[in-house]
Amino acid sequence: MKLHGYFRSSAAYRVRIALNLKGIAAEHAYVHLAQGQHRTPGFAAVNPQRLVPVLEDGDIRVIQSLAILEYLEETRPEPPLLPADAAGRARVRSLAQIVACEIHPLNNLRVLNYLTGTLGANEDAKLAWYRHWIAEGLTAFEALLATDARTGDFCHGDTPGMADVCLVPQLFNARRFDAPLEAYPTILRIERSCEALPAFRAAAPGRQPDAE
């Protein structure tokens, strides 16, 4: 198994955590986004979308982090990232999608570069944009956690799952842009539970060989 990623990509970070939780040793191929390596013809042949992560499993190639997480869950089901019951699985997927489909796409590198480059937004405007969408998403995420008895040490129960895998990288990104997080006590408590686990710590951006 081979993972194409970048140390600071939160989407690749999600997959690294999942691989670690499942005890899967993968080869890593590093694609330096800040240097534009994802735009080369060589990487376009790997993923025409020119984004990371990309997971290769033999002859199978999977793009998009949530699709990769689902693929890992279906092909390597232990330990599970999703609950056994349909309602629990729907809840965990919903939480994961708040991050992966609502917060992250508006705040990723290519969007921020478009704001400052093509649209001419200054640094203050870029930060205001970033922090607005972080607050929109995390406020809802916090409410869904704090008002549901199924929340435990982690987002759903007392074992880490797909929602936690998506949440922790987003908090890393939020801190990079000095987004205030004190309004989210349940989220921060769950983050501490995650950071106590070797699988999360080993996946952290600063611990990757390509970290700057």
Side-chain angles (χ1 to χ4, degrees):
M1 190 172 289
K2 183 177 184 178
L3 177 66
H4 300 260
Y6 177 56
F7 78 103
R8 215 158 46 199
S9 161
S10 60
Y13 189 177
R14 297 168 197 156
V15 179
R16 292 197 302 267
I17 297 169
L19 290 170
N20 291 345
L21 285 170
K22 289 182 174 290
I24 301 170
E27 176 189 354
H28 290 266
Y30 303 107
V31 184
H32 201 299
L33 301 185
Q35 294 178 3
Q37 292 177 358
H38 57 301
R39 292 192 291 269
T40 64
F43 187 69
V46 175
N47 181 7
Q49 199 179 12
R50 294 178 169 86
L51 296 174
V52 296
V54 179
L55 185 76
E56 294 185 272
D57 185 17
D59 295 332
I60 297 167
R61 185 175 291 161
V62 188
I63 65 171
Q64 291 293 330
S65 64
L66 289 188
I68 293 171
L69 297 181
E70 294 277 2
Y71 174 79
L72 292 174
E73 187 71 355
E74 292 177 8
T75 59
R76 280 84 169 174
E78 296 298 330
L81 298 176
L82 291 169
D85 63 299
R89 291 195 300 274
R91 177 178 185 252
V92 169
R93 287 181 171 121
S94 297
L95 291 169
Q97 288 177 27
I98 288 174
V99 173
C101 303
E102 302 291 339
I103 302 174
H104 175 249
L106 291 166
N107 284 345
N108 71 7
L109 180 64
R110 62 180 181 163
V111 170
L112 298 180
N113 286 343
Y114 187 80
L115 284 173
T116 56
T118 304
L119 299 183
N122 61 26
E123 187 68 13
D124 288 342
K126 181 185 81 171
L127 290 175
W129 168 280
Y130 187 98
R131 292 166 184 165
H132 170 78
W133 295 115
I134 281 283
E136 286 278 313
L138 292 186
T139 298
F141 203 107
E142 173 73 19
L144 288 165
L145 293 178
T147 59
D148 196 314
R150 292 172 292 180
T151 303
D153 290 340
F154 297 93
C155 289
H156 191 87
D158 294 329
T159 56
M162 192 177 291
D164 309 282
V165 165
C166 291
L167 176 62
V168 167
Q170 192 61 62
L171 296 175
F172 167 80
N173 271 357
R175 290 188 176 94
R176 283 184 58 218
F177 291 89
D178 294 324
L181 299 176
E182 60 272 9
Y184 317 118
T186 314
I187 286 174
L188 294 178
R189 175 182 62 75
I190 288 169
E191 182 189 35
R192 290 192 293 272
S193 296
C194 293
E195 290 179 341
L197 300 179
F200 283 83
R201 294 199 302 269
R207 297 192 174 199
Q208 305 315 302
D210 61 328
E212 298 170 335

